[in-house]
Amino acid sequence: MRFTIDRETFLKSLRLVAKPVPAKAYIASLVFIKLVLDGNGLTLVGSGETIAISTLIPFNFNEKEVIRNYKEGAILVQGKYLVDIISKLSGQEINFEVLDNSVVEITDERSSFQLNSAQVEEYPEYDFNEAGIEFKINAKELILLVEQTSFAAAIRENRPMLTALNITGQGNQITAVALDSARYASKTITINNEANFIANISAKNINEIVRSFEENQEITVVVVGEKKMMFKFNNTTIASNLLNGEYPNVKNIVPKNFNYSLEVNAQEFLSAIDRVSLLSNEKSTVRLIMSNEEVQVLSTTSEVGSANEKINNFQFNGDRLEILFNGGFVIDAIRALKSDDVVLNFIAEMKPFVIKNPKDENIIQLITPVRA
């Protein structure tokens, strides 16, 4: 196997497939990147325990010759060292050659490296072409869907399913839901075709995946039963295993009727919470006192002191209400809404409350108050 390749193109693809490659792995071969050169071009594959990425570099791209002087073949090369070497070389082109099925030589006009390699038979088989439920979505929409919900998923894995982003398709609507014991986020978007499925994908994984997208791309999503979810764009496929099990029933988690509502300027409210949280022992335990006359944001700690800030621009409906909440959770929720103004709807002091964008009913944030 040998080829001469444009360095920048090679490096960009290597960095992409290297994202899930671990420094150490239970399956030893996962520290390698697989390179396969055939009649289609150079395919690179990198994989971790739950994510795998495949990308194809064609021989020619935008009327530019990318790969030349080649001989077909396949090899495994340690991912970390391969990326580091290609990023440090200065030549515009890189020469890559397998010398004796166990050593790879990498050169440019100034430098030469030899790396131990392994045979592709040692690498786990991964099918990037499995059939499943398929739909297309604009990358920007998918990025927002993930950003505006996944932050509410649990981080600790004592209940593994709560670390997932639950994505469901029903007709031409896609809904993403995330929750832990204290908060919930959901968003619904409309797509052009129908897709009926349920997928529980690690929130950590899906956040890593969408960072690989460019906003103007069209993404083809394939849901393969309850096994995996694949994201295809350009010549790249990113696949993630799905979590096994049933997601908690969230059908009736969002209240339908409320006794109080507060509309505020999002930035003013965020700034007030951030400032009074400076004196909070725990991250952002904040008290909110509301009435028709005034709205106050407070925090008090016996060891440090207290802080109190009044909100200037507000509209409150209902009798006086006082509520204690995790300010960090509220900050996350309001930022996710990406709205100039937000509405907080309450039932009672110790009942979960909802935060919404008054101009978008398709995204909902729900927070459970803190007990005093």
Side-chain angles (χ1 to χ4, degrees):
M1 177 185 184
R2 72 166 185 271
F3 56 86
T4 299
I5 189 168
D6 177 74
R7 190 186 77 90
E8 287 300 323
T9 303
F10 193 29
L11 181 59
K12 181 179 179 181
S13 296
L14 281 172
R15 283 175 170 163
L16 173 62
V17 301
K19 287 182 178 181
V21 175
K24 296 181 180 180
Y26 176 72
I27 302 173
S29 61
L30 291 183
V31 301
F32 291 88
I33 288 174
K34 181 166 76 170
L35 297 89
V36 179
L37 184 63
D38 59 21
N40 297 313
L42 178 64
T43 298
L44 307 177
V45 178
S47 180
E49 301 289 346
T50 59
I51 295 182
I53 303 176
S54 172
T55 192
L56 171 70
I57 303 174
F59 292 106
N60 298 282
F61 184 71
N62 286 341
E63 300 182 354
K64 175 185 176 182
E65 186 178 45
V66 177
I67 301 171
R68 62 182 182 84
N69 186 30
Y70 63 89
K71 179 182 177 181
E72 295 184 4
I75 200 71
L76 300 182
V77 183
Q78 289 196 48
K80 176 185 184 303
Y81 296 108
L82 182 57
V83 173
D84 287 348
I85 288 169
I86 303 304
S87 65
K88 296 293 185 182
L89 290 176
S90 59
Q92 291 186 344
E93 287 189 321
I94 302 298
N95 302 306
F96 183 104
E97 185 172 5
V98 180
L99 298 181
D100 60 2
N101 292 327
S102 62
V103 175
V104 167
E105 185 175 62
I106 302 168
T107 64
D108 65 3
E109 65 267 20
R110 297 178 59 185
S111 307
S112 176
F113 291 86
Q114 290 190 347
L115 282 178
N116 295 335
S117 58
Q119 299 303 299
V120 292
E121 290 76 17
E122 300 178 26
Y123 203 76
E125 286 291 331
Y126 209 101
D127 187 356
F128 290 97
N129 296 305
E130 283 189 77
I133 304 298
E134 185 174 309
F135 64 93
K136 297 184 185 298
I137 185 171
N138 177 269
K140 184 176 181 179
E141 278 194 293
L142 185 53
I143 291 167
L144 274 175
L145 183 72
V146 172
E147 285 182 350
Q148 294 184 301
T149 55
S150 62
F151 67 88
I155 297 174
R156 297 177 182 174
E157 297 185 355
N158 54 331
R159 293 183 65 187
M161 190 54 70
L162 295 187
T163 66
L165 183 66
N166 172 253
I167 305 177
T168 60
Q170 188 169 11
N172 66 341
Q173 290 193 320
I174 304 295
T175 299
V177 169
L179 80 156
D180 62 15
S181 58
R183 57 180 170 174
Y184 161 96
S186 72
K187 181 176 180 178
T188 299
I189 61 174
T190 301
I191 59 174
N192 292 328
N193 60 295
E194 292 194 1
N196 298 300
F197 66 90
I198 299 174
N200 298 311
I201 184 170
S202 160
K204 180 180 177 182
N205 283 9
I206 189 66
N207 273 288
E208 285 295 324
I209 289 167
V210 299
R211 289 190 188 105
S212 301
F213 299 161
E214 296 176 3
E215 289 191 352
N216 60 346
Q217 291 174 325
E218 181 180 67
I219 310 297
T220 298
V221 182
V222 183
V223 183
V224 185
E226 297 180 357
K227 294 193 307 178
K228 64 185 176 185
M229 197 168 191
M230 296 188 289
F231 305 83
K232 301 185 176 187
F233 53 99
N234 296 338
N235 292 312
T236 298
T237 300
I238 304 178
S240 172
N241 293 349
L242 299 178
L243 278 71
N244 294 320
E246 188 172 344
Y247 200 76
N249 186 352
V250 296
K251 185 177 181 180
N252 297 314
I253 197 170
V254 179
K256 293 180 174 59
N257 300 305
F258 299 93
N259 299 318
Y260 313 84
S261 72
L262 172 68
E263 183 167 357
V264 290
N265 174 268
Q267 190 54 55
E268 182 184 2
F269 196 51
L270 287 174
S271 297
I273 294 172
D274 186 52
R275 282 190 286 268
V276 302
S277 297
L278 291 171
L279 302 187
S280 179
N281 279 338
E282 298 179 7
K283 176 62 177 173
S284 309
T285 301
V286 170
R287 187 178 302 276
L288 179 64
I289 301 176
M290 298 162 281
S291 69
N292 289 309
E293 288 75 35
E294 66 177 9
V295 172
Q296 298 180 72
V297 182
L298 311 92
S299 72
T300 304
T301 56
S302 57
E303 300 90 346
V304 182
S306 63
N308 183 342
E309 184 160 337
K310 292 183 180 181
I311 301 298
N312 293 323
N313 302 299
F314 71 90
Q315 182 177 333
F316 179 73
N317 296 310
D319 298 327
R320 184 183 184 278
L321 179 66
E322 185 173 333
I323 197 163
L324 192 68
F325 55 78
N326 181 311
F329 287 178
V330 172
I331 287 173
D332 288 344
I334 292 175
R335 284 178 176 165
L337 291 174
K338 300 183 186 297
S339 172
D340 292 335
D341 299 307
V342 293
V343 174
L344 293 83
N345 292 321
F346 306 90
I347 298 174
E349 180 179 334
M350 287 311 302
K351 294 291 186 179
F353 59 95
V354 168
I355 308 175
K356 301 181 76 171
N357 175 349
K359 297 179 180 179
D360 186 358
E361 293 293 317
N362 292 316
I363 178 168
I364 298 171
Q365 308 286 344
L366 181 143
I367 309 289
T368 300
V370 176
R371 294 190 177 276

